[in-house]
Amino acid sequence: NQTTEINLEKIWDAQKNGWYSGDNHFHLNYGGSNQLDPTDIILDLKAEDVDVAFPLLANLGQRFLEQNLWNWKHEEAPLIYFGQEVRSHFLGHLGLLGIKDLYWPWVWGPYYDIYGRDDRLNAEPLQFARSQDALGGYVHPVSVRNPFTDKGARRIPIELIADSVLGETDIIEIGCLWSDEIGTANLWHHFLNIGMPITVSAGSDVMNDLYRTMAIGATRVYVKPRGSLTLSSYLQALKEGKSFATNGPLIEFKVNEKIPGEIVDTETEKVNWTLDVHAPCAYDKIEIFVNGTLVVSKKGNHKPGSKSFKGAFEAPAGGWVTARVSGGAIEWPLMDSYPYAETSPIWFNKIGSSEKFKVKESAQILLDLLQVSTSRLKEGYGDTPIPKLTSHFEKAKSKLENMVNN
Protein backbone atom coordinates (compact mmCIF):
# COMPACT_ATOMS: atom_id res chain seq x y z
CA ASN A 1 0.00 0.00 0.00
CA GLN A 2 1.13 3.51 -0.75
CA THR A 3 -0.14 6.68 0.88
CA THR A 4 0.04 10.06 -0.80
CA GLU A 5 -0.53 13.26 1.14
CA ILE A 6 -1.58 16.38 -0.75
CA ASN A 7 -1.53 19.74 1.01
CA LEU A 8 -3.84 22.18 -0.75
CA GLU A 9 -3.25 25.87 -0.14
CA LYS A 10 -6.37 27.71 1.01
CA ILE A 11 -7.39 30.80 -0.90
CA TRP A 12 -8.86 32.16 2.33
CA ASP A 13 -8.96 30.64 5.80
CA ALA A 14 -12.58 31.12 6.79
CA GLN A 15 -12.20 29.77 10.32
CA LYS A 16 -9.30 32.09 11.15
CA ASN A 17 -11.60 34.96 10.20
CA GLY A 18 -14.48 33.64 12.31
CA TRP A 19 -16.56 32.10 9.51
CA TYR A 20 -17.81 28.49 9.43
CA SER A 21 -19.37 26.59 6.55
CA GLY A 22 -22.53 24.52 6.54
CA ASP A 23 -24.45 22.33 4.11
CA ASN A 24 -28.01 22.66 5.36
CA HIS A 25 -29.70 20.33 2.90
CA PHE A 26 -28.51 16.99 1.58
CA HIS A 27 -29.49 13.34 1.99
CA LEU A 28 -27.31 10.59 3.40
CA ASN A 29 -29.33 7.90 1.59
CA TYR A 30 -32.01 8.38 -1.04
CA GLY A 31 -33.02 4.97 -2.32
CA GLY A 32 -30.33 2.95 -4.05
CA SER A 33 -28.97 -0.45 -3.12
CA ASN A 34 -26.07 0.65 -0.90
CA GLN A 35 -26.89 2.48 2.32
CA LEU A 36 -24.37 4.69 4.11
CA ASP A 37 -23.82 5.05 7.82
CA PRO A 38 -23.49 8.65 9.08
CA THR A 39 -19.86 8.01 10.04
CA ASP A 40 -19.14 7.35 6.36
CA ILE A 41 -19.41 11.07 5.52
CA ILE A 42 -17.12 12.42 8.24
CA LEU A 43 -14.06 12.12 6.00
CA ASP A 44 -16.01 13.65 3.09
CA LEU A 45 -16.96 16.67 5.20
CA LYS A 46 -13.38 17.16 6.33
CA ALA A 47 -12.14 16.87 2.75
CA GLU A 48 -14.66 19.47 1.57
CA ASP A 49 -13.95 21.76 4.55
CA VAL A 50 -17.58 21.66 5.72
CA ASP A 51 -17.93 22.47 9.42
CA VAL A 52 -21.67 21.80 9.95
CA ALA A 53 -23.81 19.26 8.12
CA PHE A 54 -27.57 18.79 8.13
CA PRO A 55 -28.52 15.59 6.32
CA LEU A 56 -32.29 15.82 6.01
CA LEU A 57 -34.61 12.88 6.52
CA ALA A 58 -37.01 12.84 3.58
CA ASN A 59 -39.56 10.67 1.84
CA LEU A 60 -39.90 9.14 -1.60
CA GLY A 61 -43.68 9.49 -1.76
CA GLN A 62 -44.24 5.82 -1.02
CA ARG A 63 -41.96 5.45 2.02
CA PHE A 64 -40.17 7.42 4.71
CA LEU A 65 -36.42 7.14 4.99
CA GLU A 66 -33.93 6.74 7.83
CA GLN A 67 -36.17 7.34 10.84
CA ASN A 68 -33.85 5.04 12.81
CA LEU A 69 -31.11 7.69 12.45
CA TRP A 70 -33.20 10.55 13.83
CA ASN A 71 -31.37 11.04 17.15
CA TRP A 72 -27.90 10.31 15.75
CA LYS A 73 -25.46 13.22 16.03
CA HIS A 74 -21.76 13.97 15.76
CA GLU A 75 -20.82 16.74 18.20
CA GLU A 76 -17.13 16.97 17.36
CA ALA A 77 -15.87 18.74 14.25
CA PRO A 78 -17.42 18.37 11.76
CA LEU A 79 -20.80 18.78 13.45
CA ILE A 80 -23.54 16.53 12.05
CA TYR A 81 -27.20 16.83 13.01
CA PHE A 82 -30.19 15.35 11.23
CA GLY A 83 -32.95 17.69 10.09
CA GLN A 84 -36.16 17.01 8.22
CA GLU A 85 -37.38 17.79 4.72
CA VAL A 86 -41.15 18.10 4.83
CA ARG A 87 -42.20 17.42 1.25
CA SER A 88 -45.75 18.64 0.88
CA HIS A 89 -44.88 18.36 -2.77
CA PHE A 90 -47.82 20.44 -4.01
CA LEU A 91 -47.26 23.41 -1.66
CA GLY A 92 -43.44 23.34 -1.65
CA HIS A 93 -40.58 21.55 0.09
CA LEU A 94 -39.43 22.73 3.52
CA GLY A 95 -36.20 22.23 5.43
CA LEU A 96 -36.42 22.12 9.24
CA LEU A 97 -33.12 22.61 11.09
CA GLY A 98 -32.53 22.04 14.79
CA ILE A 99 -35.91 20.43 15.54
CA LYS A 100 -36.09 18.04 18.48
CA ASP A 101 -39.01 15.97 17.14
CA LEU A 102 -40.13 14.96 13.66
CA TYR A 103 -43.13 16.71 12.15
CA TRP A 104 -45.99 14.49 11.01
CA PRO A 105 -47.27 13.98 8.36
CA TRP A 106 -44.25 14.31 6.09
CA VAL A 107 -46.36 14.61 2.93
CA TRP A 108 -49.85 15.75 2.03
CA GLY A 109 -51.80 17.53 -0.68
CA PRO A 110 -53.09 16.83 -4.19
CA TYR A 111 -51.59 13.93 -6.15
CA TYR A 112 -50.67 11.98 -3.01
CA ASP A 113 -52.59 8.75 -2.31
CA ILE A 114 -52.62 9.43 1.45
CA TYR A 115 -53.50 12.84 2.95
CA GLY A 116 -54.24 13.98 -0.60
CA ARG A 117 -57.23 16.05 0.49
CA ASP A 118 -55.73 17.49 3.68
CA ASP A 119 -56.48 21.15 4.32
CA ARG A 120 -53.07 21.65 5.89
CA LEU A 121 -50.67 24.59 5.71
CA ASN A 122 -46.93 24.52 5.12
CA ALA A 123 -46.98 27.16 7.84
CA GLU A 124 -47.76 24.40 10.36
CA PRO A 125 -44.34 22.66 10.17
CA LEU A 126 -42.68 26.10 10.03
CA GLN A 127 -44.46 27.05 13.26
CA PHE A 128 -43.64 23.60 14.65
CA ALA A 129 -39.93 24.35 14.10
CA ARG A 130 -40.15 27.76 15.78
CA SER A 131 -41.88 26.24 18.79
CA GLN A 132 -38.71 24.17 19.31
CA ASP A 133 -36.33 27.14 18.84
CA ALA A 134 -35.44 25.70 15.45
CA LEU A 135 -35.44 27.20 11.96
CA GLY A 136 -37.59 26.49 8.93
CA GLY A 137 -37.68 27.67 5.34
CA TYR A 138 -38.17 26.71 1.73
CA VAL A 139 -35.55 24.62 -0.06
CA HIS A 140 -34.66 24.85 -3.80
CA PRO A 141 -37.50 27.35 -4.23
CA VAL A 142 -37.10 28.89 -7.70
CA SER A 143 -35.80 26.85 -10.63
CA VAL A 144 -35.88 29.63 -13.25
CA ARG A 145 -33.87 32.81 -13.74
CA ASN A 146 -36.98 34.98 -14.08
CA PRO A 147 -39.89 34.05 -11.78
CA PHE A 148 -41.75 37.30 -12.55
CA THR A 149 -43.37 36.19 -15.82
CA ASP A 150 -46.65 34.26 -15.95
CA LYS A 151 -44.73 31.09 -16.80
CA GLY A 152 -41.97 31.77 -14.27
CA ALA A 153 -44.48 32.42 -11.48
CA ARG A 154 -45.72 28.85 -11.85
CA ARG A 155 -42.26 27.62 -10.88
CA ILE A 156 -42.49 29.21 -7.42
CA PRO A 157 -43.62 26.89 -4.59
CA ILE A 158 -47.34 27.51 -4.15
CA GLU A 159 -47.27 28.57 -0.49
CA LEU A 160 -43.91 30.37 -0.49
CA ILE A 161 -45.32 33.84 -1.18
CA ALA A 162 -48.09 33.60 1.44
CA ASP A 163 -45.81 32.17 4.14
CA SER A 164 -43.04 34.70 3.54
CA VAL A 165 -45.42 37.68 3.46
CA LEU A 166 -47.04 36.54 6.71
CA GLY A 167 -43.71 36.10 8.48
CA GLU A 168 -43.73 32.31 8.74
CA THR A 169 -40.39 31.81 6.96
CA ASP A 170 -37.06 32.12 8.82
CA ILE A 171 -34.60 31.27 6.04
CA ILE A 172 -34.62 30.74 2.30
CA GLU A 173 -32.28 28.44 0.41
CA ILE A 174 -30.86 30.73 -2.26
CA GLY A 175 -27.97 28.36 -2.98
CA CYS A 176 -28.85 24.87 -4.24
CA LEU A 177 -27.77 22.67 -7.14
CA TRP A 178 -31.36 22.13 -8.28
CA SER A 179 -32.57 25.74 -8.36
CA ASP A 180 -31.48 29.04 -9.86
CA GLU A 181 -29.63 31.23 -7.39
CA ILE A 182 -30.24 34.56 -9.12
CA GLY A 183 -33.93 33.82 -9.72
CA THR A 184 -34.38 32.83 -6.08
CA ALA A 185 -32.41 35.80 -4.73
CA ASN A 186 -34.27 38.33 -6.87
CA LEU A 187 -37.58 37.06 -5.48
CA TRP A 188 -36.15 37.12 -1.95
CA HIS A 189 -35.23 40.80 -2.42
CA HIS A 190 -38.94 41.63 -2.61
CA PHE A 191 -39.57 39.97 0.78
CA LEU A 192 -36.79 42.10 2.22
CA ASN A 193 -38.35 45.20 0.65
CA ILE A 194 -41.60 44.71 2.57
CA GLY A 195 -39.63 44.38 5.81
CA MET A 196 -39.46 40.60 6.21
CA PRO A 197 -36.00 39.76 7.67
CA ILE A 198 -35.62 36.39 5.93
CA THR A 199 -31.97 35.32 5.83
CA VAL A 200 -30.01 33.15 3.41
CA SER A 201 -29.37 29.44 3.68
CA ALA A 202 -27.81 26.99 1.23
CA GLY A 203 -27.52 23.28 0.68
CA SER A 204 -26.22 21.01 -2.02
CA ASP A 205 -29.20 18.58 -1.99
CA VAL A 206 -26.83 15.79 -2.99
CA MET A 207 -27.67 12.14 -2.30
CA ASN A 208 -24.50 10.70 -0.78
CA ASP A 209 -25.25 7.04 -1.40
CA LEU A 210 -25.50 7.58 -5.17
CA TYR A 211 -22.00 7.29 -6.55
CA ARG A 212 -22.47 9.75 -9.41
CA THR A 213 -23.35 12.86 -7.48
CA MET A 214 -21.80 16.17 -6.54
CA ALA A 215 -19.78 16.64 -3.37
CA ILE A 216 -21.26 17.60 -0.02
CA GLY A 217 -20.98 21.37 0.30
CA ALA A 218 -20.97 22.02 -3.45
CA THR A 219 -23.36 24.80 -2.46
CA ARG A 220 -23.09 25.97 1.13
CA VAL A 221 -23.64 28.79 3.58
CA TYR A 222 -21.01 30.49 5.75
CA VAL A 223 -21.96 31.98 9.11
CA LYS A 224 -20.10 34.06 11.67
CA PRO A 225 -21.29 32.90 15.11
CA ARG A 226 -20.62 34.52 18.42
CA GLY A 227 -17.92 32.59 20.26
CA SER A 228 -17.18 28.96 19.51
CA LEU A 229 -19.05 26.89 16.95
CA THR A 230 -21.93 24.88 18.41
CA LEU A 231 -25.31 23.84 17.04
CA SER A 232 -26.90 26.70 18.97
CA SER A 233 -24.41 29.38 17.87
CA TYR A 234 -24.62 28.18 14.26
CA LEU A 235 -28.42 28.36 14.14
CA GLN A 236 -28.41 31.73 15.90
CA ALA A 237 -25.96 33.21 13.37
CA LEU A 238 -28.05 31.73 10.55
CA LYS A 239 -31.21 33.30 11.99
CA GLU A 240 -29.52 36.68 12.47
CA GLY A 241 -28.23 36.67 8.89
CA LYS A 242 -24.55 36.82 9.72
CA SER A 243 -24.09 34.78 6.59
CA PHE A 244 -23.49 34.39 2.89
CA ALA A 245 -24.40 31.61 0.48
CA THR A 246 -21.99 30.38 -2.16
CA ASN A 247 -21.13 27.67 -4.66
CA GLY A 248 -17.48 28.75 -4.79
CA PRO A 249 -16.61 32.44 -4.27
CA LEU A 250 -16.00 33.41 -0.64
CA ILE A 251 -16.98 36.97 0.17
CA GLU A 252 -16.34 39.45 2.99
CA PHE A 253 -18.73 42.40 2.70
CA LYS A 254 -18.82 45.42 4.99
CA VAL A 255 -20.73 48.70 4.96
CA ASN A 256 -19.33 51.28 7.39
CA GLU A 257 -17.53 48.30 8.96
CA LYS A 258 -20.79 46.43 9.60
CA ILE A 259 -21.15 42.85 8.33
CA PRO A 260 -24.27 41.03 7.10
CA GLY A 261 -26.90 40.73 9.81
CA GLU A 262 -25.84 43.99 11.44
CA ILE A 263 -27.27 47.51 11.32
CA VAL A 264 -25.79 50.67 9.77
CA ASP A 265 -26.84 53.97 11.33
CA THR A 266 -27.28 56.28 8.34
CA GLU A 267 -26.73 59.69 9.89
CA THR A 268 -24.49 60.59 6.96
CA GLU A 269 -25.66 60.74 3.34
CA LYS A 270 -22.99 58.37 2.05
CA VAL A 271 -21.71 55.07 3.39
CA ASN A 272 -18.48 53.28 2.54
CA TRP A 273 -18.35 49.66 1.48
CA THR A 274 -15.66 47.02 0.98
CA LEU A 275 -15.92 43.63 -0.67
CA ASP A 276 -13.10 41.09 -0.55
CA VAL A 277 -13.65 38.13 -2.86
CA HIS A 278 -11.62 34.93 -2.54
CA ALA A 279 -12.57 32.63 -5.41
CA PRO A 280 -11.23 29.31 -6.73
CA CYS A 281 -12.49 30.35 -10.16
CA ALA A 282 -12.90 33.35 -12.44
CA TYR A 283 -16.19 35.28 -12.12
CA ASP A 284 -17.78 37.94 -14.31
CA LYS A 285 -18.90 40.65 -11.91
CA ILE A 286 -19.62 41.92 -8.45
CA GLU A 287 -22.90 43.70 -7.72
CA ILE A 288 -24.35 45.62 -4.79
CA PHE A 289 -28.11 45.90 -4.34
CA VAL A 290 -29.75 48.54 -2.15
CA ASN A 291 -33.42 47.74 -1.59
CA GLY A 292 -33.30 45.57 -4.70
CA THR A 293 -31.86 48.30 -6.92
CA LEU A 294 -28.45 47.68 -8.48
CA VAL A 295 -26.26 50.56 -7.27
CA VAL A 296 -22.79 49.13 -8.00
CA SER A 297 -21.61 46.82 -10.76
CA LYS A 298 -17.93 46.14 -11.40
CA LYS A 299 -16.02 43.65 -13.49
CA GLY A 300 -14.98 40.60 -11.56
CA ASN A 301 -11.72 38.68 -11.78
CA HIS A 302 -10.59 36.80 -14.91
CA LYS A 303 -8.58 34.34 -12.82
CA PRO A 304 -8.82 32.53 -9.46
CA GLY A 305 -7.56 34.29 -6.36
CA SER A 306 -8.36 37.17 -4.05
CA LYS A 307 -9.43 40.63 -5.14
CA SER A 308 -10.66 43.63 -3.17
CA PHE A 309 -13.28 46.17 -4.19
CA LYS A 310 -14.44 49.32 -2.41
CA GLY A 311 -16.51 52.43 -2.89
CA ALA A 312 -19.38 54.46 -1.49
CA PHE A 313 -23.07 54.90 -2.18
CA GLU A 314 -25.88 57.12 -0.96
CA ALA A 315 -27.59 55.60 2.06
CA PRO A 316 -31.37 55.21 2.07
CA ALA A 317 -33.50 56.17 5.05
CA GLY A 318 -34.36 52.52 5.55
CA GLY A 319 -34.03 49.08 4.02
CA TRP A 320 -31.09 46.85 3.29
CA VAL A 321 -28.02 46.12 1.14
CA THR A 322 -26.52 42.85 -0.14
CA ALA A 323 -23.45 42.02 -2.22
CA ARG A 324 -23.40 39.44 -5.02
CA VAL A 325 -20.64 37.76 -7.05
CA SER A 326 -21.78 35.91 -10.17
CA GLY A 327 -21.24 34.79 -13.73
CA GLY A 328 -18.63 32.93 -15.70
CA ALA A 329 -17.72 29.43 -16.73
CA ILE A 330 -17.90 26.49 -14.35
CA GLU A 331 -14.48 25.05 -13.65
CA TRP A 332 -13.20 22.63 -11.03
CA PRO A 333 -13.84 22.65 -8.09
CA LEU A 334 -17.26 24.24 -8.77
CA MET A 335 -20.16 21.88 -9.44
CA ASP A 336 -23.09 24.23 -10.10
CA SER A 337 -24.36 26.02 -13.24
CA TYR A 338 -22.47 29.30 -12.75
CA PRO A 339 -20.31 30.92 -10.05
CA TYR A 340 -22.45 32.65 -7.43
CA ALA A 341 -22.35 34.06 -3.92
CA GLU A 342 -24.56 36.54 -2.08
CA THR A 343 -24.75 37.86 1.46
CA SER A 344 -27.65 38.16 3.83
CA PRO A 345 -28.72 41.80 4.22
CA ILE A 346 -27.01 44.55 6.14
CA TRP A 347 -29.87 46.71 7.40
CA PHE A 348 -30.17 50.50 7.59
CA ASN A 349 -31.22 51.94 10.97
CA LYS A 350 -33.11 48.82 12.13
CA ILE A 351 -33.74 45.22 11.12
CA GLY A 352 -36.85 45.06 8.97
CA SER A 353 -36.70 48.72 7.95
CA SER A 354 -37.92 49.72 4.50
CA GLU A 355 -38.45 52.52 1.99
CA LYS A 356 -42.11 53.43 1.42
CA PHE A 357 -42.01 53.48 -2.36
CA LYS A 358 -40.14 50.17 -2.42
CA VAL A 359 -42.69 48.58 -0.10
CA LYS A 360 -45.48 49.55 -2.49
CA GLU A 361 -43.56 48.41 -5.57
CA SER A 362 -42.57 45.02 -4.15
CA ALA A 363 -45.97 44.42 -2.56
CA GLN A 364 -47.61 44.81 -5.98
CA ILE A 365 -45.15 42.34 -7.54
CA LEU A 366 -45.75 39.84 -4.74
CA LEU A 367 -49.51 40.36 -5.02
CA ASP A 368 -49.38 39.43 -8.70
CA LEU A 369 -47.32 36.32 -7.91
CA LEU A 370 -49.70 35.38 -5.08
CA GLN A 371 -52.60 35.52 -7.53
CA VAL A 372 -50.87 32.88 -9.67
CA SER A 373 -50.20 30.74 -6.58
CA THR A 374 -53.83 31.05 -5.46
CA SER A 375 -55.02 29.97 -8.89
CA ARG A 376 -52.73 26.94 -8.77
CA LEU A 377 -53.98 26.12 -5.25
CA LYS A 378 -57.59 26.03 -6.48
CA GLU A 379 -56.65 24.00 -9.56
CA GLY A 380 -54.97 21.35 -7.41
CA TYR A 381 -57.61 20.93 -4.72
CA GLY A 382 -60.58 21.25 -7.09
CA ASP A 383 -63.85 20.68 -5.22
CA THR A 384 -62.14 19.74 -1.93
CA PRO A 385 -63.03 22.28 0.80
CA ILE A 386 -59.86 24.02 2.04
CA PRO A 387 -60.98 26.80 4.43
CA LYS A 388 -57.64 26.93 6.32
CA LEU A 389 -55.54 27.26 3.16
CA THR A 390 -57.98 29.75 1.63
CA SER A 391 -57.96 31.90 4.77
CA HIS A 392 -54.14 31.86 4.88
CA PHE A 393 -53.83 33.03 1.30
CA GLU A 394 -56.52 35.71 1.86
CA LYS A 395 -54.58 37.07 4.86
CA ALA A 396 -51.45 37.40 2.72
CA LYS A 397 -53.47 39.07 -0.04
CA SER A 398 -55.02 41.53 2.39
CA LYS A 399 -51.65 42.42 3.90
CA LEU A 400 -50.12 43.07 0.47
CA GLU A 401 -53.14 45.10 -0.67
CA ASN A 402 -52.80 47.32 2.40
CA MET A 403 -49.14 47.90 1.55
CA VAL A 404 -50.00 48.80 -2.04
CA ASN A 405 -52.85 51.15 -1.09
CA ASN A 406 -51.23 52.82 1.91
Side-chain angles (χ1 to χ4, degrees), residues 143-181:
S143 57
V144 293
R145 178 64 61 89
N146 183 5
F148 306 110
T149 65
D150 288 341
K151 188 176 180 180
R154 296 185 70 86
R155 303 291 288 275
I156 298 171
I158 287 176
E159 203 178 315
L160 170 63
I161 304 294
D163 283 346
S164 298
V165 167
L166 294 174
E168 303 289 1
T169 309
D170 300 311
I171 52 179
I172 186 168
E173 189 175 86
I174 65 169
C176 182
L177 294 172
W178 314 121
S179 56
D180 189 273
E181 285 84 2

Side-chain angles (χ1 to χ4, degrees), residues 25 76 107 132 153 162 189 201 234 254 267 283 306 311 365-366:
H25 174 201
E76 299 175 359
V107 297
Q132 301 186 17
H189 287 178
S201 181
Y234 177 82
K254 292 182 180 179
E267 292 180 355
Y283 52 93
S306 296
I365 290 169
L366 293 171

